[in-house]
Amino acid sequence: MNSPKNRVLRWGIAPVGALAALGLLASCAAGPAASPKTDITMAVTGDPVCLDPQQVTLTTALNIGRQVVDSLIDQDAETGELVPWLAESWETNDDLTEFTFELRDDVTFSDETALTADTVVKNLDALFEMGSTASLASQYLAGYEGSTAVDENTVTVNFESSNAQFLQGASTITLGLVSDATTELSPEDRCQTVVGTGPFTIDSYVANDSVVIAKRVGYDWASELRGHSGEALVDTVTFPITPEAGVRTGGLQTGEFDIIQDLPAVDESRFDTADYNIYARGNPGMPTSLVPNTTRPVVSDEIVRKAMLLATDRAEITALTGSSQSQPASSALSSATPGYSSQEDAMAYDLDAATALLDDNGWVVGSDGIREKDGQRLTMSVTAFYGQDVLEATQIQLAKAGIDLQLNIVTAGDFFGAIATGDYDFLSASLTRTDPDVLRVTFSKDAVSKWAIIDDAELESLLTEQASTADTTERTALIAEIQEMIIDRAYLIPLLEVAQVHASTANVSGLTFDSSSRLIMYDVSVSE
């Protein structure tokens, strides 16, 4: 039997059965089946920094944490349908201010304590109290009034006003549940290890070296979206921290690594053979963008921001820096996000129009090609902790319009420190979320995260209204209006839709993505 020639898996999310079939084909090509490999290695790009999935936003940390914690409900990445997980069922009131969950009665944490309604209350209360330390969770819990344990397996969550995005939030790793003991730890201590109900436990974490997770004995409450029941299929997964792309790809070729995170675009064709699998999925949420602080003098000029929007050639950025799965950004939301509305025409690359806007606004090209106005150079900086190649391409494009974009590449800690202090002209990053409420997280003045710094009462009102609109049709219309407003007023300079692209040897099967493009390793098996 021959393996498929093209191993790039192009899906919203690949059905587990399809991945299993590919694994079987690879096994047939390799000859008689051997004993499965039970200890596997996945090279990751950077240190997770914090292992508590309720606090983190880094992809590496979330990919690891997803294996350790389960969520109340799960979301089908293909259809968007919400399905039972730790909660067998749920009900909401008409205005989406009250959510009642009926929990399974057979779930335990890895410290052998039981999952109860009281545990859910402690999780949500602790998350709410963490505030900006758990920036994403605080947005999912906007307007949180409290939770009540109705009985041992029934919990009711209450909000001051309609919270249309909470149910989807309850499916995310950010609202994944941890043990009572974990909720009582300080945020710093939680970063070192967490106790969850997931199919794996944290075995060890050595900063800037590796993380090891081990199979949870007795696990038997996987979501119906998974490909099997019972315990995970491998005993351990080791995540060596391997920032050098060449070391990751070299290790995959030699067999040192079974799976690698972030296959570089330049290497995709080399690994597009029967010897490897390539796993790819676009991220929902906000694409990689320039996010403004409009209190800064130059950035506050809407004409300047509009010129930047027009002077950005997203097709070229995608061709230069994206993977085969990447698409040019075409709105404030990525195209994989529910409620996405294309703003492609308003964002179309037009250097002549960009330069005309600046000319008419009094920005004069200086001797070095950078514009000036009233003695001030058209210079601003962008703070980021990844995506330097995307920003370098953007920098070159903007220079053609006489705009000087300076790059400030920092650590992840310094990036979030800049957000906390507001000390930046632009930020550059993406923000993954399956619900379009990601726009409120990014742009609202009341958002704990405070990425964009914008004072626009009309936008603020729409962001608040969509979050409390229960009717799906009405909410979708509001989300479309918000996207149009953000682009029309150049409150965001979208650059590139993010895609997760990973690779494995051909004998790996069962690796899938959740709806937020985080890896799920529960079904993974590796034949020798």
Side-chain angles (χ1 to χ4, degrees):
M1 185 182 294
N2 294 321
S3 296
K5 182 178 179 181
N6 185 354
R7 305 293 297 183
V8 179
L9 310 181
R10 308 177 192 280
W11 63 77
I13 182 169
V16 171
L19 283 172
L22 285 171
L24 288 173
L25 288 170
S27 297
C28 290
S35 299
K37 186 176 181 181
T38 59
D39 300 297
I40 67 171
T41 301
M42 176 181 175
V44 295
T45 58
D47 192 280
V49 182
C50 176
L51 296 180
D52 180 8
Q54 294 184 349
Q55 296 186 58
V56 299
T57 59
L58 296 179
T59 297
T60 296
L62 292 168
N63 278 335
I64 295 171
R66 179 75 282 180
Q67 321 315 319
V68 177
V69 303
D70 298 329
S71 301
L72 284 169
I73 55 181
D74 202 0
Q75 184 175 32
D76 189 310
E78 246 185 328
T79 67
E81 179 187 5
L82 297 173
V83 301
W85 196 351
L86 298 182
E88 292 182 315
S89 62
W90 58 90
E91 295 179 351
T92 68
N93 62 358
D94 290 341
D95 64 359
L96 299 182
T97 59
E98 183 177 286
F99 301 80
T100 299
F101 298 91
E102 294 291 336
L103 306 177
R104 294 180 60 132
D105 62 6
D106 60 346
V107 177
T108 60
F109 291 90
S110 58
D111 62 2
E112 300 305 326
T113 58
L115 170 65
T116 66
D118 283 332
T119 301
V120 177
V121 172
K122 289 177 181 178
N123 270 257
L124 297 179
D125 287 351
L127 270 171
F128 188 70
E129 289 171 7
M130 275 199 282
S132 61
T133 304
S135 58
L136 288 182
S138 68
Q139 302 310 308
Y140 302 161
L141 297 176
Y144 179 70
E145 281 191 329
S147 300
T148 303
V150 178
D151 57 40
E152 187 173 11
N153 296 313
T154 307
V155 60
T156 297
V157 185
N158 292 102
F159 294 90
E160 294 173 353
S161 59
S162 297
N163 190 330
Q165 45 85 49
F166 173 67
L167 270 183
Q168 192 281 325
S171 74
T172 66
I173 186 175
T174 303
L175 296 188
L177 298 180
V178 298
S179 69
D180 290 4
T182 302
T183 66
E184 295 168 2
L185 297 174
S186 68
E188 295 77 15
D189 287 342
R190 289 175 59 156
C191 281
Q192 299 308 304
T193 190
V194 293
V195 174
T197 66
F200 291 92
T201 63
I202 302 294
D203 184 74
S204 66
Y205 170 37
V206 179
N208 297 308
D209 180 74
S210 65
V211 180
V212 179
I213 60 175
K215 177 173 69 176
R216 168 82 189 280
V217 176
Y219 181 85
D220 196 21
W221 41 84
S223 157
E224 65 185 58
L225 298 177
R226 305 286 75 81
H228 79 283
S229 59
E231 299 173 359
L233 302 178
V234 296
D235 291 339
T236 66
V237 183
T238 299
F239 300 92
I241 295 162
T242 315
E244 302 84 2
V247 176
R248 294 197 305 277
T249 56
L252 188 64
Q253 286 183 302
T254 63
E256 179 184 1
F257 305 140
D258 301 294
I259 308 167
I260 63 170
Q261 180 187 19
D262 289 359
L263 177 68
V266 296
D267 291 312
E268 284 187 31
S269 60
R270 182 156 62 98
F271 287 93
D272 188 10
T273 72
D275 294 324
Y276 303 97
N277 294 328
I278 298 178
Y279 309 85
R281 186 176 191 272
N283 280 19
M286 185 188 76
T288 297
S289 307
L290 301 181
V291 184
N293 175 355
T294 62
T295 65
R296 298 289 184 135
V298 173
V299 183
S300 66
D301 188 335
E302 184 175 319
I303 295 297
V304 168
R305 300 196 309 273
K306 285 184 174 179
M308 294 175 69
L309 191 70
L310 295 172
T312 304
D313 186 345
R314 293 162 191 83
E316 182 180 65
I317 290 172
T318 304
L320 290 174
T321 68
S323 74
S324 65
Q325 302 302 301
S326 300
Q327 299 184 53
S330 53
S331 184
L333 290 175
S334 294
S335 56
T337 316
Y340 159 83
S341 175
S342 176
Q343 305 299 312
E344 186 174 7
D345 291 344
M347 294 166 51
Y349 173 62
D350 191 336
L351 183 59
D352 290 340
T355 56
L357 275 176
L358 294 172
D359 288 341
D360 293 345
N361 199 235
W363 289 99
V364 179
V365 178
S367 59
D368 61 353
I370 302 305
R371 293 175 181 267
E372 298 180 356
K373 178 181 177 181
D374 299 329
Q376 182 172 24
R377 284 169 58 85
L378 189 47
T379 299
M380 72 283 291
S381 66
V382 54
T383 299
F385 68 98
Y386 65 87
Q388 184 170 344
D389 55 344
V390 174
L391 294 177
E392 287 174 346
T394 306
Q395 181 184 51
I396 292 169
Q397 292 175 356
L398 294 179
K400 295 177 183 178
I403 301 169
D404 178 28
L405 181 68
Q406 294 292 314
L407 309 189
N408 181 30
I409 307 300
V410 299
T411 65
D414 287 342
F415 176 84
F416 290 104
I419 291 176
T421 61
D423 186 17
Y424 56 88
D425 294 332
F426 286 93
L427 300 170
S428 180
S430 62
L431 190 57
T432 300
R433 178 82 197 276
T434 308
D435 192 275
D437 192 64
V438 69
L439 296 176
R440 184 174 59 87
V441 174
T442 305
F443 293 99
S444 174
K445 289 175 64 177
D446 293 332
V448 175
S449 52
K450 289 185 173 61
W451 281 38
I453 300 179
I454 293 168
D455 187 6
D456 187 322
E458 186 179 7
L459 176 61
E460 189 71 27
S461 176
L462 288 172
L463 291 169
T464 301
E465 185 179 358
Q466 66 80 27
S468 59
T469 299
D471 183 271
T472 302
T473 302
E474 292 179 10
R475 187 173 182 234
T476 300
L478 289 169
I479 293 295
E481 186 177 354
I482 290 167
Q483 291 170 80
E484 182 178 358
M485 183 180 294
I486 288 171
I487 298 304
D488 180 64
R489 300 177 186 181
Y491 288 146
L492 192 73
I493 316 297
L495 304 177
L496 176 71
E497 289 200 1
V498 178
Q500 298 297 314
V501 183
H502 313 305
S504 76
T505 52
N507 57 344
V508 172
S509 63
L511 185 66
T512 58
F513 293 98
D514 71 7
S515 63
S516 295
S517 298
R518 308 309 178 195
L519 289 174
I520 299 173
M521 307 189 76
Y522 170 68
D523 289 317
V524 167
S525 63
V526 184
S527 59
E528 288 285 8

